[in-house]
Amino acid sequence: MRKIVCDLHAELVRNHLVAWTAGNVSGRIPGEDLFVIKPSGVSYDELTPEAMVVCDLDGNLVEGEHAPSSDTAAHAYVYRHMPQVGGVVHTHSTYASAWAARDEAIPCVLTAMADEFGGEIPVGPFALIGDDSIGQGIVATLKGHRSPAVLMRNHGVFTIGATPRAAVKAAVMCEDVARTVHISRQLGEPVPIARADVDRLYDRYQNVYGQRSPR
Amino acid sequence: MRKIVCDLHAELVRNHLVAWTAGNVSGRIPGEDLFVIKPSGVSYDELTPEAMVVCDLDGNLVEGEHAPSSDTAAHAYVYRHMPQVGGVVHTHSTYASAWAARDEAIPCVLTAMADEFGGEIPVGPFALIGDDSIGQGIVATLKGHRSPAVLMRNHGVFTIGATPRAAVKAAVMCEDVARTVHISRQLGEPVPIARADVDRLYDRYQNVYGQRSPR
Amino acid sequence: MRKIVCDLHAELVRNHLVAWTAGNVSGRIPGEDLFVIKPSGVSYDELTPEAMVVCDLDGNLVEGEHAPSSDTAAHAYVYRHMPQVGGVVHTHSTYASAWAARDEAIPCVLTAMADEFGGEIPVGPFALIGDDSIGQGIVATLKGHRSPAVLMRNHGVFTIGATPRAAVKAAVMCEDVARTVHISRQLGEPVPIARADVDRLYDRYQNVYGQRSPR
Amino acid sequence: MRKIVCDLHAELVRNHLVAWTAGNVSGRIPGEDLFVIKPSGVSYDELTPEAMVVCDLDGNLVEGEHAPSSDTAAHAYVYRHMPQVGGVVHTHSTYASAWAARDEAIPCVLTAMADEFGGEIPVGPFALIGDDSIGQGIVATLKGHRSPAVLMRNHGVFTIGATPRAAVKAAVMCEDVARTVHISRQLGEPVPIARADVDRLYDRYQNVYGQRSPR
């Protein structure tokens, strides 16, 4: 799991989701109340599986030589309150953060968005770092919502998934649709997709797409 | 043909036309009612010629260990109804999809667009995945049209060509002109090119350009 | 000169000025009425010094196994009428072409633009490929103008320089300022730079900057 | 210090902050009235630790075979008047320069901006190269300001830091937030962050973030 989570940070860089050290991936260790997360303030070039840290579900450091990411409390809160979640990703990716700064959900006007998010991508509350506020905002917004991504107001994106890789995929797709819908709206209004069609696309994608292995 | 089609997926990545696994290339096997296409949900890094799958013109898997792309039915429909087509490409490239989300054709205001597309790039209907609807929309829009690219509403781009490489070129050029015309229109109205000049440019490019070998 | 011109095409790719094969560099052979130019329709990956072709100042092929670039007549016209020019570059770079499609010169609102272009970047006429029209438009616009770049209406950019490298630099800087000024104008009006200050910046840059070797 | 400063130029390229040779990093030599800076007009590919030049705090060349950067006087002025500064960076990065061309400060609407800049990123005066004007504008704007970045009107960005690496980080983050806030404002007004929350975020980030080593 250290290696999986370490390697997935390269996907954040490759997909242009992060500047400097501003983004992190974590993964729940199956069968234990622990998760692996990026150390704080370490550059992506210097990340190694050994440098990754292990925390318990209260966000306390259990194993590792570095301080855990400053976003650890938010990740921990999500794992504590959403048992089905196996991976969490946080970025300040440009277009998604631009919607978040306006406190505006991304409307579902692309079939790829219906596939992955099952509707709009919602905005969560403004919350300060330092306690459980961010985690609470994420969970309150995503519980009972189809979207695996939430835009935290004035901040950035958190995504969840059954695995760390699924959460990274959601982060990549979130920025991709945030950009396309933004650009579409610059010159007029995109055509909405009917709710029944969004439902059909979402159901099909969740049940039919891919090679029948965990995403 | 497996190797050609496999390698062309790298051009989609290199030209920033795809995020995650959302794009595919296929190529008709000359002299047979078969085509090679990308397997579903496999990342571009892991694609090998051996991983590519072979389908018949009804979209049934004929050879290969993976499930074919979820867009296989659309590719198959195009090969079945447009015998001159030897390659098909599908992407959700950003700027082209932004025009598609607004249900708006891209006007011909660049000589490079007159060269490659012979006029505007048209929009096709909204169609759900799962049957022949997307294929029908592509063929109905492109038959009798000069453009090798169609913007499918709320979805993305399909391009065709005499070869898979020509279809990839059309996908690259489609995104390139979609972006340039979008940016031009952000600050005013681009000057149209007279129809007669579009015709002259198109005729010249189709007949004179390049090294006299199949594009 | 074949190697110099060949290698400079990699700068077009690296600086994101070209899609597919749509851009070319040429260089005058010192002391002879000849220039080296890219062959037509060949991808940048496959370019080698040996593949480059040599033409006379009427654009006729003198040496080489490939057909010369379809823009050869324009390059030749420039060399014929501007004896101080040692290099010519043509691209369809995105932001510069967006200004060109609106028939709008780029105003001088950046010190870097005053340095390199000495004022606005002008627009040349709409001209069809196939005869001397494009070359005439370039020369008519750039003769007596400080700018080494011209935006050809509905088409793209041509730049000139004392050397092919200087012309490539002008093409890179043209796209860079076209982009920055575009983005600045999206949210309001950039502040103009006083003509006297533009003159001072231009004079200084042309005479003081760099390591006293030919750019 | 030559090697540190040389290597940091690669970060400018990797983060897309510079075109051609238009950007430079310098670093104060600890305990001496000297700093290392990029030579003028040399491409980033050709930079080596040996090619870097050493200047005194009046900007005079002390050691090195090349002429120092044409921005040396501005760097020297900053080191002379801000003793806590150990590194200075100058770029024409696109989005930051776009705000600078409009003479408009970047409002603080992102938590990442509160973290790094402690509020808005201010604009400095228009100043011509050639004497102390640019240095004076930088120091007058940044003295007593939390922001380590200043947008010089119609010109570009200067950033400062306790180390050259910290100044490069500020340059990367400045362009990142300049871009996100620009894009956010294209489709409406971003929500401001309350001054008290900006203060809390800034205090926490300056005192708690990272691995307790100098940034």
Side-chain angles (χ1 to χ4, degrees):
Chain A
M1 183 56 69
R2 279 166 182 270
K3 179 159 168 45
I4 289 170
V5 172
C6 177
D7 289 354
L8 283 168
H9 284 87
E11 290 289 333
L12 303 188
V13 175
R14 188 160 67 146
N15 288 281
H16 307 292
L17 303 187
V18 289
W20 212 249
T21 60
N24 39 69
V25 181
S26 70
R28 194 195 289 265
I29 300 178
E32 300 191 54
D33 283 347
L34 298 170
F35 64 96
V36 174
I37 192 166
K38 179 180 177 291
S40 179
V42 173
S43 81
Y44 298 112
D45 284 353
E46 296 165 9
L47 277 191
T48 59
E50 296 72 40
M52 305 303 291
V53 299
V54 179
C55 293
D56 67 24
L57 298 196
D58 293 316
N60 300 310
L61 181 67
V62 170
E63 199 180 305
E65 294 176 17
H66 296 78
S69 164
S70 56
D71 298 302
T72 297
H75 290 249
Y77 191 93
V78 173
Y79 289 120
R80 218 152 70 228
H81 290 85
M82 301 181 91
Q84 80 282 18
V85 168
V88 177
V89 171
H90 173 49
T91 80
H92 299 161
S93 67
T94 303
Y95 284 86
S97 299
W99 289 90
R102 284 198 315 273
D103 195 14
E104 191 172 354
I106 309 175
C108 185
V109 297
L110 296 166
T111 56
M113 212 177 151
D115 288 347
E116 177 75 21
F117 301 96
E120 70 170 25
I121 298 177
V123 189
F126 179 78
L128 285 181
I129 201 166
D131 59 16
D132 277 347
S133 306
I134 294 176
Q136 286 172 9
I138 298 167
V139 171
T141 311
L142 292 185
K143 271 222 169 168
H145 205 291
R146 286 174 177 172
S147 171
V150 53
L151 312 175
M152 293 299 283
R153 178 155 76 84
N154 294 112
H155 182 179
V157 185
F158 282 86
T159 60
I160 57 175
T163 62
R165 186 171 178 81
V168 170
K169 184 193 176 188
V172 171
M173 296 309 294
C174 177
E175 179 65 6
D176 195 54
V177 301
R179 178 170 44 231
T180 304
V181 179
H182 175 94
I183 288 169
S184 189
R185 275 194 45 194
Q186 287 188 309
L187 297 180
E189 270 310 307
V191 181
I193 303 181
R195 186 72 224 176
D197 289 335
V198 170
D199 290 349
R200 274 187 214 111
L201 286 162
Y202 181 70
D203 289 344
R204 186 181 194 284
Y205 193 75
Q206 301 302 319
N207 298 312
V208 179
Y209 183 74
Q211 298 292 338
R212 309 295 75 219
S213 56
R215 278 181 301 143
Chain B
M1 182 57 69
R2 279 166 182 271
K3 180 161 168 42
I4 289 169
V5 172
C6 177
D7 290 353
L8 283 168
H9 284 87
E11 290 288 333
L12 303 188
V13 175
R14 187 159 69 144
N15 289 281
H16 307 291
L17 303 188
V18 289
W20 212 249
T21 61
N24 40 69
V25 180
S26 70
R28 193 195 290 264
I29 300 178
E32 300 191 54
D33 284 347
L34 298 170
F35 63 98
V36 173
I37 191 165
K38 178 179 178 291
S40 180
V42 174
S43 80
Y44 298 112
D45 284 352
E46 296 166 8
L47 276 191
T48 59
E50 295 71 39
M52 305 303 292
V53 298
V54 179
C55 293
D56 67 24
L57 298 196
D58 293 316
N60 300 311
L61 180 67
V62 170
E63 199 180 307
E65 293 176 17
H66 296 78
S69 164
S70 57
D71 298 302
T72 298
H75 290 249
Y77 191 93
V78 173
Y79 289 121
R80 218 151 71 229
H81 291 84
M82 302 182 90
Q84 79 283 18
V85 169
V88 176
V89 172
H90 173 49
T91 81
H92 299 160
S93 67
T94 303
Y95 284 85
S97 298
W99 289 89
R102 284 198 314 272
D103 195 15
E104 191 173 352
I106 308 174
C108 186
V109 297
L110 296 166
T111 56
M113 210 175 154
D115 287 348
E116 178 75 22
F117 300 96
E120 70 169 26
I121 298 178
V123 190
F126 179 79
L128 286 180
I129 200 167
D131 57 18
D132 277 347
S133 305
I134 294 176
Q136 287 171 8
I138 298 167
V139 170
T141 311
L142 293 185
K143 271 222 169 169
H145 204 291
R146 284 173 177 172
S147 171
V150 53
L151 313 174
M152 293 299 284
R153 177 152 78 83
N154 294 111
H155 183 177
V157 184
F158 282 86
T159 60
I160 57 174
T163 62
R165 186 172 179 81
V168 169
K169 183 192 177 189
V172 171
M173 297 309 294
C174 177
E175 180 65 6
D176 194 54
V177 301
R179 178 170 44 231
T180 304
V181 179
H182 175 93
I183 288 170
S184 189
R185 274 194 46 194
Q186 287 188 309
L187 297 180
E189 271 309 308
V191 181
I193 303 180
R195 186 72 225 176
D197 289 334
V198 171
D199 290 349
R200 274 186 214 110
L201 287 162
Y202 182 70
D203 289 344
R204 187 180 193 284
Y205 192 75
Q206 300 303 319
N207 297 312
V208 179
Y209 183 75
Q211 298 293 339
R212 312 292 75 222
S213 55
R215 276 182 300 145
Chain C
M1 183 55 71
R2 279 166 181 269
K3 179 160 169 43
I4 290 170
V5 172
C6 177
D7 290 353
L8 283 169
H9 284 86
E11 290 289 332
L12 303 188
V13 174
R14 186 158 70 145
N15 288 280
H16 307 291
L17 303 187
V18 289
W20 212 248
T21 60
N24 40 68
V25 180
S26 69
R28 193 195 291 263
I29 300 178
E32 301 191 53
D33 284 347
L34 298 170
F35 63 98
V36 174
I37 193 165
K38 179 180 178 292
S40 179
V42 173
S43 81
Y44 297 112
D45 284 352
E46 297 166 8
L47 277 192
T48 59
E50 295 72 40
M52 304 303 292
V53 297
V54 178
C55 292
D56 66 24
L57 298 195
D58 292 316
N60 300 311
L61 181 66
V62 170
E63 200 180 306
E65 293 177 17
H66 296 78
S69 164
S70 56
D71 298 302
T72 297
H75 290 249
Y77 190 94
V78 173
Y79 289 121
R80 218 151 70 227
H81 291 85
M82 301 183 91
Q84 80 281 20
V85 168
V88 176
V89 171
H90 174 48
T91 80
H92 299 160
S93 66
T94 303
Y95 284 85
S97 299
W99 289 90
R102 284 198 314 273
D103 195 15
E104 191 173 353
I106 308 175
C108 186
V109 297
L110 297 167
T111 55
M113 210 175 152
D115 288 346
E116 177 76 21
F117 300 96
E120 70 169 26
I121 299 178
V123 190
F126 179 78
L128 286 180
I129 201 167
D131 57 18
D132 277 346
S133 306
I134 293 176
Q136 287 171 9
I138 298 168
V139 171
T141 311
L142 293 185
K143 271 221 169 170
H145 205 291
R146 285 173 177 174
S147 170
V150 52
L151 313 174
M152 294 299 284
R153 177 153 78 83
N154 293 111
H155 182 177
V157 185
F158 282 86
T159 61
I160 57 175
T163 62
R165 186 170 178 82
V168 169
K169 183 193 177 189
V172 171
M173 297 308 294
C174 177
E175 180 63 7
D176 195 54
V177 301
R179 179 170 43 231
T180 304
V181 179
H182 176 93
I183 288 169
S184 190
R185 274 194 46 193
Q186 286 187 310
L187 296 180
E189 270 310 306
V191 181
I193 303 180
R195 185 73 225 176
D197 289 334
V198 170
D199 290 349
R200 276 188 213 109
L201 287 162
Y202 181 70
D203 289 344
R204 187 182 193 283
Y205 192 76
Q206 300 304 318
N207 298 312
V208 178
Y209 183 74
Q211 299 293 341
R212 312 291 77 223
S213 55
R215 276 182 302 144
Chain D
M1 184 55 69
R2 279 166 182 269
K3 179 160 169 42
I4 289 170
V5 173
C6 177
D7 290 353
L8 283 168
H9 283 86
E11 290 289 333
L12 303 188
V13 175
R14 188 160 67 147
N15 289 281
H16 306 293
L17 303 187
V18 289
W20 212 248
T21 61
N24 40 68
V25 180
S26 69
R28 193 195 290 264
I29 300 178
E32 299 191 56
D33 284 347
L34 298 170
F35 63 98
V36 173
I37 192 165
K38 179 180 177 292
S40 179
V42 174
S43 81
Y44 298 112
D45 284 352
E46 297 166 8
L47 276 191
T48 60
E50 296 72 40
M52 305 303 291
V53 298
V54 179
C55 293
D56 66 24
L57 298 195
D58 293 316
N60 300 311
L61 181 67
V62 169
E63 199 180 305
E65 293 176 17
H66 297 78
S69 164
S70 57
D71 298 301
T72 297
H75 290 249
Y77 191 93
V78 173
Y79 289 121
R80 218 152 70 228
H81 290 84
M82 301 183 91
Q84 80 282 17
V85 169
V88 177
V89 171
H90 174 48
T91 80
H92 299 160
S93 66
T94 303
Y95 284 85
S97 298
W99 289 90
R102 284 198 313 274
D103 195 14
E104 191 172 353
I106 308 175
C108 185
V109 297
L110 297 167
T111 56
M113 210 175 153
D115 288 346
E116 177 76 22
F117 300 96
E120 70 168 26
I121 299 177
V123 190
F126 180 78
L128 285 181
I129 201 168
D131 58 18
D132 276 347
S133 307
I134 294 176
Q136 287 172 7
I138 298 168
V139 171
T141 311
L142 293 185
K143 271 221 168 170
H145 205 291
R146 285 173 177 173
S147 170
V150 52
L151 312 174
M152 294 298 283
R153 176 154 76 83
N154 294 111
H155 182 179
V157 184
F158 282 86
T159 61
I160 57 175
T163 62
R165 186 171 178 81
V168 169
K169 184 193 177 190
V172 171
M173 297 308 295
C174 177
E175 180 65 6
D176 195 54
V177 300
R179 178 170 43 232
T180 303
V181 179
H182 175 94
I183 289 169
S184 190
R185 275 193 47 193
Q186 286 188 309
L187 296 180
E189 270 311 306
V191 180
I193 302 180
R195 185 72 223 176
D197 289 334
V198 171
D199 290 349
R200 275 188 213 109
L201 286 163
Y202 181 70
D203 289 344
R204 186 182 195 283
Y205 192 75
Q206 300 303 318
N207 297 313
V208 179
Y209 184 75
Q211 299 292 340
R212 312 292 75 223
S213 55
R215 276 180 303 145

